[in-house]
Amino acid sequence: MVGGVQRRQAGTAERYDVFHTDCPARDVVDHVTSRWGIWVLISLRSNDLRFYELRESIQGISEKMLAQTLRALVQDGLVWREVEPTTPPQVTYGLTEFGREVGEPLTDLFDRITRWLPPRSAG
């Protein structure tokens, strides 16, 4: 089963007022820019991953925070979730088209940052 909310691109007349406190787009921005949301989107940019693979790829995240972050991103329609009916269940996550589009500028941002940082010293 693949879950998530289906999103569509808004036309020019249907813009959201992101500066208004009850704007639904504001919640999505909050989830994407949360401490762990960015890392989940970047981790999923190349491959679909199982929960434990995501946890291992993002150093410092707890299982609880990963689960909460994934739940929010699935609800926002940025990430899909598929459960294989095995024992124990195998849960795989990947980016939706919306998630890929949102994640592209994040990847570009991190590429730019790492190009400008001084080289890491060995040791």
Side-chain angles (χ1 to χ4, degrees):
M1 176 178 123
V2 176
V5 177
Q6 182 68 28
R7 301 283 185 215
R8 62 180 173 76
Q9 194 169 10
T12 55
E14 301 178 38
R15 289 286 182 213
Y16 288 101
D17 181 4
V18 294
F19 294 102
H20 198 276
T21 57
D22 64 353
C23 176
R26 198 167 173 160
D27 289 336
V28 175
V29 170
D30 287 345
H31 296 152
V32 168
T33 60
S34 70
R35 178 172 182 188
W36 301 111
I38 290 172
W39 300 115
V40 168
L41 293 176
I42 289 174
S43 292
L44 292 172
R45 73 183 178 268
S46 302
N47 299 310
D48 303 338
L49 297 172
R50 292 199 176 135
F51 184 88
Y52 76 90
E53 293 171 322
L54 262 171
R55 190 186 68 225
E56 289 177 4
S57 73
I58 306 170
Q59 292 184 3
I61 192 168
S62 68
E63 285 190 24
K64 178 182 176 183
M65 286 310 304
L66 179 56
Q68 288 177 357
T69 301
L70 285 167
R71 194 174 304 117
L73 295 174
V74 167
Q75 184 176 354
D76 292 338
L78 295 160
V79 171
W80 55 261
R81 175 181 191 264
E82 184 174 47
V83 180
E84 295 176 38
T86 59
T87 305
Q90 293 181 350
V91 184
T92 305
Y93 295 89
L95 293 179
T96 63
E97 182 180 342
F98 180 37
R100 273 191 285 289
E101 190 168 323
V102 169
E104 281 180 34
L106 298 175
T107 300
D108 290 344
L109 173 67
F110 283 98
D111 288 346
R112 289 174 190 219
I113 290 170
T114 56
R115 275 197 310 265
W116 282 93
L117 287 175
R120 293 181 68 172
S121 58

